[in-house]
Amino acid sequence: DIQMTQSPSSVSASVGDRVTITCRASQGISSWLAWYQQKPGKAPKLLIYAASSLQSGVPSRFSGSGSGTDFTLTISSLQPEDFATYYCQQANSFPPYTFGQGTKLEIK
Amino acid sequence: EVQLVESGGGLVQPGGSLRLSCAASGFTFSSYEMNWVRQAPGKGLEWVSYISSSGSTIYYADSVKGRFTISRDNAKNSLYLQMNSLRAEDTAVYYCAREWAYCGGDCYPVFDYWGQGTLVTVSS
């Protein structure tokens, strides 16, 4: 199975900051990567698919990049509603789909 | 509006059984692959099972293989997860998730809609 490793596990930032979260795959997955946002008590929400494509309705301050084994999610200017946990997910080698362990974005 | 509504969760003893349901509306259910994804308390997301749009192709995570059975009824717009021989480590919120594939050369499957989840607690 492909393992997905996110870093950092948690990060503290302020409104207006630029934040980058990294996801590394244990083997190459081309661009078969998605990013999700999850707020406490809520279901995950799709943000990015195919590594860099923004899901409809997602603010443009979110962006994704990378291919192969290394990927990043960037939030260009943090808004109060962006404080949440973020997960990457690979869909290159299935089954199984695998997720990263999550990155919790907290208010500084 | 796409809606996925899970039900059937609850408290069950180790070794017991439970059947989860997911009622779909707002889209042509029979055209979409569906999945179950779970999240143990305070933990990350774990994919559990996949079923193709017709129900002819099914996959399971190794952690549930042989104990869980996924099925669907396209006439009733419903997805199911029969869970047998439950263990404490199966305690989690279970989400049903619609699978959508963006195709531009390759097809990139993602989970574009999720239900609100139903909590399964396995404890004596």
Side-chain angles (χ1 to χ4, degrees):
Chain A
D1 297 354
I2 296 177
Q3 308 303 316
M4 307 301 293
T5 304
Q6 291 181 230
S7 61
S9 295
S10 65
V11 58
S12 295
S14 301
V15 173
D17 285 354
R18 178 184 181 91
V19 170
T20 297
I21 298 169
T22 297
C23 178
R24 175 164 289 176
S26 59
Q27 62 191 75
I29 60 170
S30 184
S31 296
W32 298 67
L33 186 98
W35 289 96
Y36 299 86
Q37 176 194 66
Q38 186 180 34
K39 297 181 179 179
K42 300 294 186 182
K45 172 187 173 184
L46 175 65
L47 298 176
I48 302 281
Y49 61 91
S52 60
S53 295
L54 198 65
Q55 173 69 345
S56 176
V58 174
S60 59
R61 63 181 179 273
F62 291 91
S63 64
S65 65
S67 66
T69 59
D70 295 313
F71 301 86
T72 59
L73 172 70
T74 299
I75 310 171
S76 60
S77 178
L78 274 173
Q79 298 302 300
E81 60 268 29
D82 299 337
F83 292 95
T85 300
Y86 293 84
Y87 294 93
C88 62
Q89 177 233 331
Q90 70 83 22
N92 178 71
S93 175
F94 168 75
Y97 290 124
T98 49
F99 293 87
Q101 81 280 13
T103 295
K104 187 174 184 179
L105 177 53
E106 300 175 301
I107 300 173
K108 184 182 288 185
Chain B
E1 178 192 7
V2 172
Q3 282 199 319
L4 298 169
V5 180
E6 301 95 336
S7 60
L11 175 64
V12 60
Q13 292 188 339
S17 298
L18 215 52
R19 188 195 197 207
L20 306 184
S21 299
C22 172
S25 60
F27 65 102
T28 305
F29 180 72
S30 59
S31 297
Y32 287 84
E33 293 96 339
M34 297 295 295
N35 292 263
W36 289 97
V37 177
R38 69 183 180 183
Q39 186 170 36
K43 302 298 184 181
L45 301 169
E46 179 189 15
W47 171 79
V48 172
S49 185
Y50 159 97
I51 187 167
S52 63
S53 56
S54 66
S56 60
T57 301
I58 286 172
Y59 298 115
Y60 298 100
D62 287 345
S63 58
V64 306
K65 200 173 294 182
R67 300 187 299 121
F68 289 12
T69 302
I70 191 172
S71 62
R72 65 191 297 162
D73 185 335
N74 286 341
K76 294 183 177 180
N77 292 335
S78 293
L79 176 72
Y80 306 102
L81 187 67
Q82 177 67 42
M83 304 185 296
N84 298 332
S85 303
L86 282 161
R87 307 166 180 167
E89 54 266 35
D90 296 318
T91 293
V93 173
Y94 285 74
Y95 296 100
C96 65
R98 190 180 84 166
E99 184 170 315
W100 169 75
Y102 165 75
C103 295
D106 287 325
C107 287
Y108 300 91
V110 292
F111 305 136
D112 66 339
Y113 284 94
W114 300 62
Q116 85 288 350
T118 187
L119 176 62
V120 172
T121 303
V122 184
S123 174
S124 55

